[in-house]
Amino acid sequence: MNSTLNHFCKLSSIVILSFLFSVDIFSQTKSPTYIGINPENIDSSIDPNVNFYEYSNGNWLKNNPVPPEYSRWGSWNGIINKNQEVLRKILEDASMNSSASKGSNLQKLGDLYFLAMDTVTIERDGLNPLKDYLARIDGISSKEDFQKVFAYLKGLRTGGLFSFFGGQDDKNSKNVIFQLFQSGLGMPDRDYYLKDDDRSKKLRSQYGDFAARMFELMGNENSSALKLAQRVIELETRLAKASMSRVDMREAEATYHLMTLEELRSLTPDLSWDLIFNE
């Protein structure tokens, strides 16, 4: 029995070791000259029976400290960064390709990338590209107007109030259904609005400064920008208070409420779903 268990443990260690090194494709410091396990990553000074993780990854960890611009670092980050470099080269080449066929994917990719990187034109145009959208918002004078503009902006994949999308029914994956989910917060999580510790208070203050600056860039005077920013934070705080916490959402049943459209209408009488869908 003990012999069998010992053999199984050794075999498991080999499998785990193989997996750990099979993903070590790119290193921060040099290009790979191997495929699969890289024995150079093993720290043989560590007893694997005492600390298998340090044994199998010790030298990799020593040779690949977390870069200052990252909060974490691993072999997958190297893969992702390398992939982004390749994609950027493709886009840069496409944007400089003057012979790409009109209407081709190459031409479309090149034009889109050029538009995104043309900072001279972006700075010159300022808010002009947003004027039509801002005019729609300024034109809201009723609940119906608000819902029309809300639906229009949702069609542009903006945030606000809540999110909705199509996805598999969690209890019947054969069905793709309309799904609603809490949203509308500018900061990452409800706790950023509700916690009362010093760090949270500081973050809320900085968020208010940021929001005010955005309103100033949209042409508002400083005093008006501060008032608008405060209104935004007050609204988002109300949304945060109505939002479920991350802990609450860990329970799958807590976020599953299958209902008919008629039941949804009854649940949210102040929203005209027919109007939103039509828009």
Side-chain angles (χ1 to χ4, degrees):
M1 181 67 176
N2 290 338
S3 176
T4 303
L5 181 60
N6 187 46
H7 176 74
F8 175 76
C9 290
K10 288 181 179 179
L11 180 61
S12 298
S13 296
I14 293 172
V15 171
I16 293 170
L17 186 63
S18 298
F19 171 77
L20 289 172
F21 293 126
S22 67
V23 298
D24 186 12
I25 299 173
F26 292 102
S27 169
Q28 180 189 351
T29 55
K30 61 181 180 180
S31 299
T33 56
Y34 56 88
I35 297 175
I37 297 174
N38 180 8
E40 294 179 2
N41 290 335
I42 296 174
D43 186 350
S44 56
S45 67
I46 303 294
D47 184 347
N49 295 306
V50 175
N51 191 329
F52 186 78
Y53 179 78
E54 286 292 335
Y55 166 76
S56 59
N57 296 289
N59 283 344
W60 190 94
L61 293 170
K62 293 174 185 176
N63 296 327
N64 293 275
V66 178
E69 66 270 26
Y70 288 85
S71 61
R72 56 187 292 180
W73 186 260
S75 56
W76 281 113
N77 293 95
I79 297 171
I80 292 168
N81 287 356
K82 184 66 176 179
N83 187 51
Q84 289 178 338
E85 289 176 13
V86 172
L87 291 173
R88 184 178 69 182
K89 182 67 166 57
I90 292 171
L91 291 169
E92 288 176 344
D93 289 347
S95 68
M96 293 184 290
N97 190 332
S98 58
S99 61
S101 302
K102 186 175 178 60
S104 66
N105 288 336
L106 189 63
Q107 177 254 315
K108 292 175 183 178
L109 284 172
D111 288 355
L112 183 62
Y113 186 72
F114 178 81
L115 286 172
M117 301 303 292
D118 185 7
T119 55
V120 174
T121 301
I122 290 170
E123 291 292 338
R124 185 191 65 215
D125 288 348
L127 276 177
N128 286 330
L130 298 177
K131 281 187 174 179
D132 289 344
Y133 307 113
L134 296 175
R136 285 177 181 263
I137 295 171
D138 289 339
I140 295 174
S141 60
S142 66
K143 184 188 295 185
E144 182 177 330
D145 289 342
F146 169 78
Q147 292 182 75
K148 285 183 177 180
V149 173
F150 171 76
Y152 171 76
L153 293 176
K154 280 294 186 185
L156 301 177
R157 304 298 296 274
T158 64
L161 296 185
F162 55 86
S163 63
F164 51 80
F165 52 91
Q168 267 73 23
D169 182 343
D170 286 346
K171 293 188 177 181
N172 186 355
S173 60
K174 293 180 180 179
N175 294 332
V176 175
I177 60 174
F178 177 69
Q179 302 195 26
L180 288 158
F181 202 75
Q182 65 189 34
S183 183
L185 304 180
M187 290 192 282
D189 185 79
R190 70 188 290 277
D191 289 347
Y192 282 75
Y193 297 84
L194 306 181
K195 281 188 174 181
D196 204 35
D197 58 279
D198 291 340
R199 180 176 181 273
S200 297
K201 290 178 180 178
K202 181 180 179 181
L203 288 172
R204 282 195 291 273
S205 176
Q206 292 174 332
Y207 180 53
D209 294 340
F210 166 76
R213 179 58 178 154
M214 292 299 102
F215 282 116
E216 283 186 1
L217 292 173
M218 292 167 65
N220 296 280
E221 297 291 334
N222 179 261
S223 58
S224 297
L226 289 172
K227 290 178 181 178
L228 289 168
Q230 186 59 40
R231 288 177 63 186
V232 167
I233 293 176
E234 288 173 357
L235 174 60
E236 292 185 7
T237 301
R238 290 173 62 189
L239 288 171
K241 289 178 179 178
S243 299
M244 297 176 68
S245 70
R246 294 191 182 192
V247 174
D248 291 337
M249 289 189 291
R250 289 174 187 167
E251 173 56 53
E253 290 291 338
T255 58
Y256 185 85
H257 305 284
L258 188 65
M259 62 184 68
T260 65
L261 181 56
E262 193 55 46
E263 289 172 326
L264 178 62
R265 290 191 182 104
S266 299
L267 185 66
T268 56
D270 290 326
L271 284 175
S272 172
W273 290 103
D274 292 335
L275 184 153
I276 290 173
F277 290 148
N278 287 335
E279 290 298 319

